[in-house]
Structures are given as structure tokens and as C-alpha cells.
Amino acid sequence: MRKIDTKCVQSGYQPKNGEARILPIYQSTTFKYSSTEQMGRLFDLEESGYFYTRLANPTNDAVAAKIADLEGGVAGMLTSSGQAACFYSIFNICEAGDHFVCSSSIYGGTFNLFGVTMKKLGIDVTFVDPDASDEELDSAFRPNTKALFGETIANPALVVLDIEKFARVAHRHGVPLIVDNTFATPVNCRPIEWGADIVVHSTTKYMDGHATSVGGAIVDSGNFDWDAHSDKFPGLTTPDESYHGVVYTERFGKAAYITKATATLMRDLGSIPSPQNAFLLNLGLETLALRMRKHCENAAKVAEYLNGSDKISWVSFSGLKGDKYYELAQKYLPCGSCGVISFGVKGGRENAVKFMDSLKLAAIVTHVADARTSVLHPASHTHRQMNDEELAAAGVTPDLIRFSVGIEDADDIIDDIRQALDKI
Ligand SMILES: *Cc1c(COP(=O)(O)O)cnc(C)c1O
């Protein structure tokens, strides 16, 4: 099997003789056929082919195939955002009256989606401490629980997920483990190798890497046996009346989950990325392995510097010896975690704001995980909607600064931090 650097460059689009070497942008909503009957077969999912870009587009499919290959999955799909990917990943197997379990240390947007918006759809969630024991995790499960969800490296608390523990608990309860692998990327961790069944991404972050395009992806390992838990997943294992009675597991085997998500959720909810954005994402993916190495190398230097500064009260970076998640990171992220560091400035919220406003190279942006160094104050930005209790559960203290180390020269990044700390 090819190595990850090769896959970043070579997987996905495979031109045939005489075709464009570089992935073409099929900026077309629709595709032409010469017979009525053939088009009909496409609509019945009896034949595969393109007919409408909301359902499938060659540019998007090539990029989804690359991401699936990077993660070691059997099938993948792109979505218009990471939020759409997180939503589809659950909604594909949950309906009103169902329940799922989720790590409490997750991205603020996902926390709202799961804890507020999906509750309005009648899908209930229980948030659990990702560091809880097997037994504590077990107690969150109910007969109507359909999935377990967590983030490889939580944004922004940087909690490293014990994926094997989560997979063990999920499988004991007959449900799939879904892992958001946005921060680690498949360059640094492939959750499927540790037992995850479904992987989701906000490709907006490192995968795109240049802050050009919002996007998301879902990859299926093909490993979860839906038929063995048919009572829980009738949407996959019994006839779908909205597609002439197709049974996804029967017809599509290991690709059942992704086919259903495309054929029903994308058809009905329509969160597709534009082919232009998929093209840009693909360019980002080509250098993902290179960039991740530089992000991690720079972040390690910045974390060391912060750790030695008397103006800093704490530093969270799983690559630092003594970090709460150092051991888990050694196991799951041996080549480095990501470029994001969380830390607290002495003097709390007031000094945190003063520090941020004094930075010159690092820009205050909502975004995280791209080539340029950036900084954010979650308590007043991304996690603004949470109350103090929810903030604490998500591991977000009022002084927490989320610092996303870019791929500039580490000395310049550290110089910028030094001059800003000198102002407080
Ligand atoms: C940003 C992010 C999301 C949401 O993705 P968008 O592309 O912004 O919709 C989901 N999960 C994680 C871990 C993220 O960092």
C-alpha cells in the first residue's frame, strides 16, 4: 500500500490516456444522456453515473475518493461544510426518538448542533467526559442509542481522544464510533486503524490549509456490520420507499452508509460543495503531509517557548512532556498532533485580550489551522453561546487563548509572541 505522502499527491483523480493531468473542474449542474431509459436507471440507483451535481459530480467525487483513501476507508463524500458533515454523519442513522452519546470536549459549533438543534428534531444526545472510564461511558447508553461521537484532538481544548476505548464501548453497545479527525488529519492519525467506523472532517482547516474554502467530508471504513444490528439501523437494512424499495446494505455492501447519505440526505438537504471549492481543496490536500510536518515542528517550538515564559499560567499541547494528554498523544499521534496550542496568560481575560491585541504577525481570526499563524479567544468568540458550566465541560477557561501556529519561520512567530507578552 502507498504511503501517506504519495496518497496526498496521487490518490483520487486518475486520468485516462489523453485526459487532463490535473483534476478538471466540472462546473456543470447536469449531465447529458442519449436515452430516456438510461437516465431512468440512474434515478433508480440501478446504474451509476452523473446526472445532477447535488447528487454527484466528478470533481467532488475524485476529491472524496482521495480523502477516503487517506483515511483508509472504502467510500467518502464531500459536504459544503464541516458542520454539514457532522450533521449528516449522525442524521444518516438517527431519527426522531433516537439518542446518541458524544464527548463533551468538542468544537463549539458541533456542541450547539448536537445539543440544541438536533434536540429540536427529536434526536437526543448525552455528553460524556472523554476521560471517563469504560463503565462511566457505558452508563450513558440507552436502548435507543445509535452512535458514539468524539474528536481525535478536541477543538479548542486539545483533549486527545482514547479512540480504542471509545471504539470498544461503542461496539459493546452495537453502535458505530464516529470520529471528527479535523485537527489531526489522516497524516497524523487514522482513526479507522484504531477502531473508528466513520470519520468526519471540516476540510476548511488543515486539509484546505489556505483558508480559501469552507467544506467537509465523511468517510466510511466499511467495517461496521449494520445487518448484525438491523433492529437499530432499519434505514440501512430495510427497504427505502423513497428509492423504490432499495435496501442499502444488500445493494451497496460496504458502501451502504455513504450511498444512503448521498442518495437521501444530499438529495433532500443539499449541502454540496461547489466543484470549484473541491478543486481548491484538492490543491490543499496535495501538500497536506508537508504542511502538517511543518505545523507540528513549529508548534512544538512555540509550546516550549510559552512553557518557559513567566507571563503564561499554563500551556496545553499534547506534544509537551508532562501534558495531561502526552501519553495518549504518543500512542495515537506519534508523528505530532497539530499546530494548535491552547494557553492561559497570567492576569486572566483582561491580559488575554491585551496580549492578542498586541500581536502583529499572528492575526485575530475565527479561523484556525491554516498556513498563517492566527489566534482566537474562544470564550468571547467561538464558544460565546455557552454558559460557564458548559465552558468548563468543554475545557474552555475564560483565559484560554487558541493559538494556531502556521508554517512561517518559528523564530518570527516566537518573536511576535515575545513582543506581545512584553506589553502586559
Ligand atoms: C471547524 C470545525 C468544525 C466545523 O466545520 P466548518 O467547516 O466550519 O463547518 C467541525 N469540527 C471541528 C473539529 C472543527 O474544527
Side-chain angles (χ1 to χ4, degrees):
M1 205 181 16
R2 286 176 168 172
K3 305 275 197 308
I4 201 87
D5 290 62
T6 309
K7 289 182 175 186
C8 282
V9 183
Q10 296 280 354
S11 291
Y13 176 61
Q14 304 297 331
K16 296 191 193 72
N17 191 39
E19 288 183 349
R21 178 65 192 96
I22 301 308
L23 173 66
I25 306 172
Y26 286 88
Q27 195 70 42
S28 178
T29 58
T30 196
F31 300 82
K32 175 184 169 286
Y33 287 90
S34 44
S35 96
T36 319
E37 203 208 321
Q38 189 181 11
M39 181 86 115
R41 284 201 299 273
L42 294 175
F43 269 99
D44 283 351
L45 300 181
E46 274 169 8
E47 201 173 294
S48 66
Y50 297 101
F51 55 106
Y52 193 57
T53 282
R54 169 150 44 76
L55 286 149
N57 171 283
T59 308
N60 294 1
D61 280 3
V63 183
K66 176 179 280 189
I67 296 174
D69 197 37
L70 287 170
E71 287 290 3
V74 294
M77 69 190 284
L78 298 187
T79 57
S80 55
S81 69
Q83 285 301 99
C86 291
F87 175 59
Y88 281 22
S89 73
I90 296 286
F91 199 51
N92 202 32
I93 47 172
C94 282
E95 58 188 41
D98 286 344
H99 168 261
F100 65 105
V101 179
C102 182
S103 162
S104 59
S105 194
I106 52 167
Y107 174 66
T110 310
F111 189 87
N112 278 326
L113 168 67
F114 289 173
V116 182
T117 302
M118 289 187 74
K119 277 205 171 136
K120 291 181 186 166
L121 295 174
I123 298 168
D124 202 7
V125 63
T126 300
F127 290 109
V128 291
D129 178 352
D131 298 331
S133 66
D134 280 49
E135 293 67 34
E136 286 169 302
L137 293 174
D138 280 338
S139 67
F141 283 76
R142 306 175 190 165
N144 62 341
T145 302
K146 300 295 169 71
L148 177 60
F149 189 102
E151 290 179 6
T152 312
I153 305 171
N155 175 7
L158 305 183
V159 169
V160 176
L161 189 71
D162 188 341
I163 303 173
E164 279 190 318
K165 176 181 73 180
F166 262 52
R168 185 166 64 230
V169 171
H171 296 158
R172 187 152 67 218
H173 294 274
V175 306
L177 171 62
I178 305 174
V179 173
D180 182 333
N181 196 34
T182 297
F183 268 22
T185 83
V187 171
N188 285 340
C189 179
R190 289 173 297 280
I192 291 171
E193 293 173 3
W194 299 102
D197 301 286
I198 310 287
V199 174
V200 296
H201 278 279
S202 165
T203 61
T204 318
K205 315 293 166 54
Y206 290 116
M207 282 191 165
D208 167 19
H210 303 78
T212 68
S213 317
V214 174
I218 309 176
V219 173
D220 183 3
S221 66
N223 292 336
F224 193 81
D225 189 349
W226 309 103
D227 283 319
H229 306 282
S230 185
D231 54 319
K232 284 188 198 291
F233 307 106
L236 285 158
T237 60
T238 60
D240 179 356
E241 293 318 323
S242 80
Y243 258 120
H244 310 295
V246 63
V247 176
Y248 292 100
T249 48
E250 252 173 35
R251 178 85 66 85
F252 301 103
K254 285 186 179 298
Y257 176 92
I258 291 291
T259 307
K260 177 177 183 280
T262 305
T264 64
L265 298 184
M266 202 56 97
R267 177 194 64 185
D268 299 343
L269 302 172
S271 316
I272 54 137
S274 87
Q276 173 76 35
N277 278 11
F279 174 83
L280 290 169
L281 169 58
N282 189 53
L283 282 186
L285 288 169
E286 290 187 359
T287 57
L288 182 65
L290 275 181
R291 287 185 289 105
M292 287 312 289
R293 239 162 263 140
K294 179 75 169 169
H295 279 294
C296 292
E297 182 190 306
N298 278 358
K301 289 181 186 163
V302 171
E304 285 292 348
Y305 171 77
L306 290 168
N307 209 27
S309 165
D310 58 7
K311 301 239 169 126
I312 301 293
S313 45
W314 57 271
V315 180
S316 169
F317 181 68
S318 60
L320 274 181
K321 277 213 181 73
D323 186 86
K324 188 176 171 197
Y325 294 101
Y326 181 76
E327 273 78 31
L328 279 178
Q330 291 296 301
K331 174 175 175 177
Y332 292 109
L333 304 153
C335 302
S337 53
C338 64
V340 184
I341 303 172
S342 299
F343 59 91
V345 175
K346 281 183 188 162
R349 191 186 274 257
E350 191 187 325
N351 275 352
V353 170
K354 201 167 185 185
F355 164 76
M356 285 184 42
D357 290 348
S358 306
L359 290 165
K360 293 184 174 129
L361 182 142
I364 300 174
V365 296
T366 313
H367 198 244
V368 65
D370 80 81
R372 281 153 289 264
T373 296
S374 59
V375 65
L376 177 93
H377 187 229
S380 39
H381 302 143
T382 43
H383 288 59
R384 209 182 169 83
Q385 279 82 12
M386 289 189 181
N387 62 35
D388 286 355
E389 217 171 54
E390 290 168 340
L391 282 175
V396 179
T397 52
D399 63 341
L400 186 154
I401 289 174
R402 186 181 73 183
F403 199 86
S404 176
V405 180
I407 57 175
E408 304 94 341
D409 192 293
D411 290 344
D412 290 333
I413 302 169
I414 291 170
D415 280 349
D416 190 36
I417 295 172
R418 186 182 296 115
Q419 65 80 25
L421 287 175
D422 284 346
K423 305 253 162 62
I424 57 177

